Amino acid sequence: MMNPSILNIIFKFGVFLLTSLLTLGVQADDSIVSLTANKKIGFKESPTVYVELEVDKTRDLHVAFQNMNGFNTIKRTMKRIKKSGKYHFEVPLDKIDEGNYRIAAYLTPRGKDWNDRITQAQPFEFEVINEEKYVKKTVFSDQDKIKFVKWPKRVIGNQEATLTIQYDIQAPRDIHVKLLDSDNWKEHGALKFPVTEPGNLTLPLSNLTVDFPLGNYAWVVYVAEKGKSEPISDKFGKHFTLAKKQKQSEGKN
């Protein structure tokens, strides 16, 4: 006959295991996928919080604003979440001192608080500057230039490829992109992209053989003043071949 104390231990272990599995099940279904906000704000601004949530039933999202010196909470808010998705909301703050802060967030069952939290997010840090409102200052380059253009040397059939352009500008400009036949320099298409700061353009393209005949081509890219077509930078050319199939001798690009 089995010892009663052993039965008691087995029973307690079974309850513990069942509880653990239920808890893991809840945690697997509920999560804060992402938590972000304004990286910088002025001392009279109200930050906007952006979250992506996965929930299996109605949950409460608790959000706290804390200073980085002692993690004292200066503002707390709660939002009731009924379904998974992306949410954003503005959190009014009283005049806040200059310094570094963070946003902490966690999910609980409906009507519960910190001690019953299901999951929490990695804190998001932000800065309050000594101005009423933060205005992003664009750092322009000292010249207008197409730095590089990335594109495969050979595009096969309906293969998808991304045209990537990196550029420097001295002021808001237009980036002109032209597709030319590199055998006779006939223009097959032209695009214009207004840009307001140095950076990158990416243009995913596919099914080129539907719109253009097979052959040899070149992308020609340059910088122009806004609303004008004359280049103020050197033209950057990128040659490629549009083919029905890949040559065996070439291998993959």
Side-chain angles (χ1 to χ4, degrees):
M1 184 174 180
M2 187 174 290
N3 191 316
S5 62
I6 296 177
L7 285 173
N8 189 38
I9 292 172
I10 293 174
F11 175 76
K12 288 182 178 179
F13 177 76
V15 172
F16 170 77
L17 182 60
L18 179 60
T19 303
S20 300
L21 289 173
L22 288 173
T23 302
L24 287 172
V26 170
Q27 291 177 340
D29 292 334
D30 297 273
S31 66
I32 301 176
V33 179
S34 64
L35 169 69
T36 59
N38 317 73
K39 286 291 290 183
K40 289 186 178 182
I41 62 171
F43 59 75
K44 283 192 175 181
E45 289 187 278
S46 298
T48 299
V49 177
Y50 300 86
V51 292
E52 183 176 356
L53 304 168
E54 290 286 346
V55 295
D56 67 346
K57 61 181 69 175
T58 300
R59 302 296 187 191
D60 287 348
L61 172 69
H62 300 262
V63 180
F65 291 79
Q66 303 169 329
N67 60 39
M68 295 294 288
N69 183 18
F71 301 114
N72 297 313
T73 299
I74 60 172
K75 180 78 174 186
R76 186 186 301 273
T77 187
M78 187 275 287
K79 302 291 182 182
R80 186 144 288 163
I81 306 298
K82 295 183 178 180
K83 62 180 180 178
S84 301
K86 295 181 179 179
Y87 299 86
H88 68 276
F89 47 89
E90 188 176 286
V91 182
L93 297 176
D94 296 331
K95 182 179 178 298
I96 186 171
D97 295 332
E98 176 186 6
N100 295 312
Y101 296 81
R102 76 173 191 173
I103 302 171
Y106 59 94
L107 285 172
T108 70
R110 184 172 179 172
K112 300 295 183 179
D113 211 323
W114 172 255
N115 291 329
D116 299 292
R117 66 190 182 280
I118 298 168
T119 185
Q120 60 193 92
Q122 180 73 24
F124 179 87
E125 297 182 7
F126 68 100
E127 180 185 358
V128 176
I129 63 171
N130 191 24
E131 296 179 12
E132 289 190 1
K133 184 177 181 180
Y134 170 69
V135 178
K136 183 180 178 181
K137 298 177 177 62
T138 301
V139 179
F140 287 107
S141 307
D142 58 4
Q143 63 177 333
D144 295 288
K145 179 181 179 180
I146 301 298
K147 299 177 71 174
F148 74 77
V149 176
K150 184 179 179 182
W151 180 259
K153 291 182 179 180
R154 195 174 186 85
V155 177
I156 312 301
N158 62 356
Q159 171 190 352
E160 182 173 320
T162 299
L163 181 66
T164 302
I165 303 165
Q166 188 176 93
Y167 57 89
D168 283 338
I169 54 174
Q170 299 183 82
R173 304 294 195 198
D174 289 339
I175 304 295
H176 288 258
V177 181
K178 295 187 177 184
L179 179 63
L180 306 178
D181 185 316
S182 60
D183 292 328
N184 56 26
W185 299 112
K186 176 184 176 181
E187 184 176 307
H188 283 273
L191 299 169
K192 181 178 72 173
F193 299 94
V195 292
T196 57
E197 60 184 359
N200 296 282
L201 281 174
T202 56
L203 184 63
L205 296 167
S206 61
N207 297 321
L208 289 177
T209 53
V210 174
D211 299 313
F212 306 104
L214 304 180
N216 299 314
Y217 292 88
W219 293 110
V220 176
V221 185
Y222 62 88
V223 182
E225 293 183 3
K226 289 188 69 64
K228 298 183 179 180
S229 59
E230 297 79 14
I232 58 173
S233 72
D234 291 338
K235 294 181 179 180
F236 195 113
K238 190 72 173 180
H239 290 260
F240 71 99
T241 299
L242 183 59
K244 187 174 183 179
K245 62 182 181 179
Q246 189 160 327
K247 295 180 180 179
Q248 292 182 352
S249 60
E250 288 183 338
K252 294 182 178 180
N253 288 321

